[in-house]
Amino acid sequence: VQVVDVREPEEFDGILGHIEGATLIPLGELKQRASELDPARPVVTVCRSGARCAQAAVMLDKEGFGKVANLAGGMLRWRAQRLPVEGLHA
């Protein structure tokens, strides 16, 4: 699975951290940078709360990615469930 974090760089390395192995592609750059992803592999989009990653999932679906999901609740939910993160800099 390809984990694509669509937040801004300061959020990616900010207080919520990010999922290990996630690729940072801010939402505003996603359409132009979609070629950096493998359309044959499943994609999970991630953001802070779930709104931007839902938009990103729709965008990637329109770009021809067959298996796309968004992380419901985003990093807020991920952290609330005490799942592992990296890059924490408060």
Side-chain angles (χ1 to χ4, degrees):
V1 171
Q2 303 170 93
V3 178
V4 179
D5 195 314
V6 297
R7 297 175 297 162
E8 295 299 314
E10 60 274 9
E11 294 175 282
F12 187 75
D13 289 321
I15 196 163
L16 292 175
H18 57 266
I19 296 170
E20 182 179 356
T23 299
L24 174 64
I25 303 178
L27 183 60
E29 301 174 14
L30 187 58
K31 190 167 184 164
Q32 304 89 290
R33 294 180 58 192
S35 62
E36 296 176 26
L37 304 171
D38 182 351
R41 292 177 53 211
V43 176
V44 175
T45 58
V46 180
C47 67
R48 180 181 179 274
S49 65
R52 284 177 284 179
C53 58
Q55 294 174 11
V58 169
M59 188 183 302
L60 289 173
D61 184 59
K62 288 180 180 178
E63 291 294 317
F65 288 77
K67 296 178 181 173
V68 182
N70 71 300
L71 182 66
M75 288 302 296
L76 289 173
R77 182 174 175 202
W78 186 271
R79 291 297 307 274
Q81 294 181 352
R82 301 184 185 275
L83 295 168
V85 296
E86 57 182 34
L88 287 176
H89 300 293

